[in-house]
């Protein structure tokens, strides 16, 4: 995966003093208001020439610039080959990178960043970007975004992207359309709007882990459905389940009771019981609560004589107490799909209220068991 090899400080060398002088020229030009793309590139290229053949060895010399505001458009030309520019807490209006030499931006903010080099060799840490665009990528992009970066628009144009790591950041709009994507990780990302991968091919090495998605609309349902399909094709059943749930949440968000009452009710039930399949074990928790509640209610019913245990005296001569009757009735209701006791009819509520409650709770427990096994089947892809 993506990694930039850098050589650190040149303490005590002649090159260090020359680099320091060049950086001071940049600071002086900023104060005079004469710094523009031409003389900035001229100074940077002079620094680059101090470190010949670094790109051949793959070890780039780190040159750090801090707390500078660039209120003009910068184009890092392909003449830049041997140094890795590191911008700490700098502000950019527009930056275009044509050089394949590494670019590291820590903190600070940019209005527009356009990456035309291949590979990109860009690392953003805690940087705020209004528009980030990858252009003309056709293989490994070598792009890393991490440490609470905030991207408003993240777009890609090209035929193939790969070696992209996005970690612990916030992305408002992401659009990777009509491309092949591989070796890409999205981890701990908050997507303000649903990411758009329509008409793209996501290979098995594309992963989403612990991401949050905040858009639920008719449009997002289509995008989540598309991502679910990609994950199913890649046999990533866990992630497919997540995008399937997001699709249903989006449908639920725009479905109105007056328009589609049956769909509205089924969505609300599915959401309440297991959060559209994301909370597989929630139905079991609800069953335990239901059993405890039924036990308390049936104990009161047994004391009033509204329920009794049929054949109770013929079963080993045992006569069931009110507490035992309530427990057995609650248990048979909670486990009614299994007919655990073999003869479920040994438990009979005698009062109409008891009968209605018993069979009503039996139906409810059966629904909870159904959703539990449905969730297990989807999660582990059991046919």
């Amino acid at each position: 995966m993506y990694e930039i090899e850098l050589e650190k400080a040149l303490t005590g060398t002649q090159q260090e003093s020359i680099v320091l002088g060049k950086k001071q020229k940049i600071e002086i030009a900023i104060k005079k208001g004469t710094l523009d793309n031409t003389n900035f590139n001229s100074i940077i290229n002079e620094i680059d020439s101090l470190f010949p053949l670094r790109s051949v060895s793959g070890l780039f010399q780190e040159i750090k610039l801090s707390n500078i505001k660039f209120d003009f458009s910068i184009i890092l030309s392909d003449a830049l080959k041997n140094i890795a520019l590191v911008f700490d807490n700098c502000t950019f209006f527009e930056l275009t990178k044509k050089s394949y030499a590494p670019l590291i931006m820590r903190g600070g903010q940019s209005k527009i960043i356009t990456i035309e080099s291949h590979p990109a060799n860009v690392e953003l840490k805690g940087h705020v970007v209004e528009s980030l665009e990858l252009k003309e990528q056709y293989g490994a992009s070598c792009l890393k975004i991490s440490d609470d970066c905030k991207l408003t628009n993240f777009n890609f144009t090209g035929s193939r992207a790969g070696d992209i790591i996005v970690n612990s950041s916030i992305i408002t709009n992401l659009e990777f359309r009509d491309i092949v994507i591989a070796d890409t990780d999205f981890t701990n990302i908050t997507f303000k709007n649903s990411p758009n991968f329509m008409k793209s091919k996501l290979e098995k090495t594309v992963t989403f882990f612990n991401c949050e998605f905040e858009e639920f609309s008719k449009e997002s349902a289509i995008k989540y459905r598309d991502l679910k399909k990609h994950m199913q094709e890649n046999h990533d059943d866990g992630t497919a389940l997540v995008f399937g749930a997001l699709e249903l949440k989006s449908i639920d968000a725009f479905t109105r009771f007056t328009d589609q009452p049956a769909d509205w009710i089924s969505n609300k039930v599915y959401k309440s019981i297991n959060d559209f399949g994301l909370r597989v074990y929630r139905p079991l928790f609800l069953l335990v609560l239901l059993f405890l509640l039924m036990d308390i209610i049936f104990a009161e019913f047994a004391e009033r004589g509204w329920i009794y245990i049929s054949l109770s005296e013929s079963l080993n001569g045992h006569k069931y107490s009110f507490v035992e009757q309530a427990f057995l009735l609650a248990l048979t209701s909670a486990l009614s799909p299994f007919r655990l006791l073999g003869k479920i009819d040994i438990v009979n509520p005698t009062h109409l209220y008891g009968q209605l409650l018993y069979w009503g709770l039996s139906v409810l427990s059966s629904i909870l068991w159904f959703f539990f096994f449905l969730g297990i089947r989807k999660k582990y892809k059991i046919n």
Side-chain angles (χ1 to χ4, degrees):
M1 296 298 280
Y2 175 65
E3 186 175 353
I4 296 175
E5 293 190 69
L6 300 177
E7 187 170 319
K8 299 299 181 181
L10 299 165
T11 306
T13 68
Q14 181 180 10
Q15 288 169 316
E16 182 190 23
S17 61
I18 297 174
V19 170
L20 182 60
K22 301 295 183 184
K23 290 165 69 173
Q24 287 175 342
K25 283 181 65 175
I26 294 175
E27 294 172 358
I28 292 171
I30 290 173
K31 291 178 181 178
K32 291 183 177 181
T34 58
L35 187 67
D36 58 19
N37 180 63
T38 301
N39 51 34
F40 175 77
N41 268 289
S42 175
I43 296 171
I44 292 300
N45 289 334
E46 288 176 14
I47 297 175
D48 187 78
S49 65
L50 296 172
F51 308 98
L53 303 179
R54 289 302 170 95
S55 59
V56 175
S57 64
L59 188 64
F60 297 88
Q61 178 60 49
E62 177 184 312
I63 302 297
K64 185 186 297 183
L65 298 170
S66 304
N67 304 309
I68 299 176
K69 182 177 181 180
F70 298 93
D71 53 5
F72 54 89
S73 297
I74 293 178
I75 299 176
L76 299 177
S77 71
D78 54 10
L80 195 65
K81 300 182 184 302
N82 303 305
I83 62 174
L85 286 175
V86 181
F87 294 100
D88 281 349
N89 298 312
C90 292
T91 301
F92 296 86
F93 168 67
E94 182 177 6
L95 185 146
T96 301
K97 181 178 184 293
K98 297 178 179 291
S99 167
Y100 64 80
L103 171 65
I104 302 173
M105 306 174 82
R106 299 189 292 231
Q109 58 186 5
S110 301
K111 188 174 180 64
I112 301 171
I113 298 177
T114 304
I115 303 171
E116 298 181 3
S117 61
H118 179 78
N121 271 357
V122 173
E123 185 171 331
L124 305 180
K125 290 186 173 183
H127 198 69
V128 179
V129 189
E130 287 189 30
S131 176
L132 173 62
E133 183 169 4
L134 280 167
K135 283 188 173 182
E136 304 304 326
Q137 299 294 305
Y138 51 86
S141 301
C142 300
L143 172 65
K144 185 174 182 179
I145 301 170
S146 63
D147 297 353
D148 296 319
C149 283
K150 294 178 176 61
L151 281 66
T152 303
N153 295 292
F154 184 13
N155 302 311
F156 180 96
T157 57
S159 59
R160 185 179 178 90
D163 203 3
I164 299 175
I165 300 174
V166 189
N167 194 338
S168 302
S169 298
I170 298 174
I171 300 176
T172 302
N173 299 304
L174 182 146
E175 186 163 345
F176 280 22
R177 292 173 60 95
D178 299 306
I179 61 172
V180 177
I181 308 169
D183 300 313
T184 297
D185 298 327
F186 295 97
T187 304
N188 299 320
I189 305 300
T190 298
F191 290 96
K192 292 293 185 180
N193 295 324
S194 52
N196 189 351
F197 292 91
M198 301 291 287
K199 297 183 180 180
S200 294
K201 176 176 174 52
L202 277 63
E203 296 190 350
K204 292 183 178 181
T205 49
V206 177
T207 60
F208 294 84
F209 180 74
N210 200 30
C211 295
E212 294 184 13
F213 301 84
E214 298 186 353
E215 184 188 11
F216 301 103
S217 64
K218 186 176 291 188
E219 292 75 19
S220 68
I222 297 172
K223 296 175 185 176
Y224 294 140
R225 186 182 305 127
D226 180 67
L227 281 165
K228 178 185 69 174
K229 179 182 176 183
H230 286 303
M231 295 299 110
Q232 288 173 337
E233 291 173 349
N234 293 340
H235 304 288
D236 186 349
D237 300 324
T239 307
L241 180 65
V242 171
F243 285 120
L246 291 169
E247 176 192 354
L248 292 175
K249 283 186 177 183
S250 298
I251 293 173
D252 178 60
F254 67 80
T255 301
R256 298 292 175 262
F257 178 78
T258 52
D259 298 329
Q260 299 169 295
D263 290 343
W264 186 88
I265 292 172
S266 62
N267 284 338
K268 296 304 180 187
V269 170
Y270 197 10
K271 180 180 180 180
S272 301
I273 292 178
N274 66 358
D275 196 19
F276 299 108
L278 292 179
R279 305 289 182 265
V280 174
Y281 296 100
R282 183 189 286 178
L284 288 183
F285 174 73
L286 293 175
L287 273 167
V288 172
L289 293 180
L290 184 64
F291 167 75
L292 295 174
L293 178 63
M294 288 189 294
D295 193 25
I296 295 171
I297 294 175
F298 285 140
E300 179 67 22
F301 278 25
E303 191 170 355
R304 294 187 181 190
W306 289 358
I307 61 173
Y308 77 97
I309 304 298
S310 65
L311 305 177
S312 62
E313 295 189 16
S314 65
L315 293 174
N316 299 322
H318 179 70
K319 186 174 180 62
Y320 291 91
S321 67
F322 292 149
V323 174
E324 289 174 321
Q325 290 181 51
F327 175 82
L328 189 56
L329 194 57
L331 187 63
T332 54
S333 296
L335 301 176
S336 59
F338 301 100
R339 302 298 188 199
L340 184 66
L341 300 180
K343 289 186 177 181
I344 200 71
D345 58 346
I346 67 169
V347 183
N348 287 307
T350 58
H351 194 281
L352 177 62
Y353 293 157
Q355 292 174 353
L356 291 175
L357 184 60
Y358 174 75
W359 293 112
L361 292 175
S362 296
V363 170
L364 182 56
S365 66
S366 298
I367 292 173
L368 291 174
W369 280 113
F370 168 77
F371 277 105
F372 170 68
F373 286 117
L374 179 65
I376 291 292
R377 177 183 176 276
K378 286 187 174 182
K379 183 173 183 179
Y380 299 104
K381 206 67 177 178
I382 302 172
N383 295 319

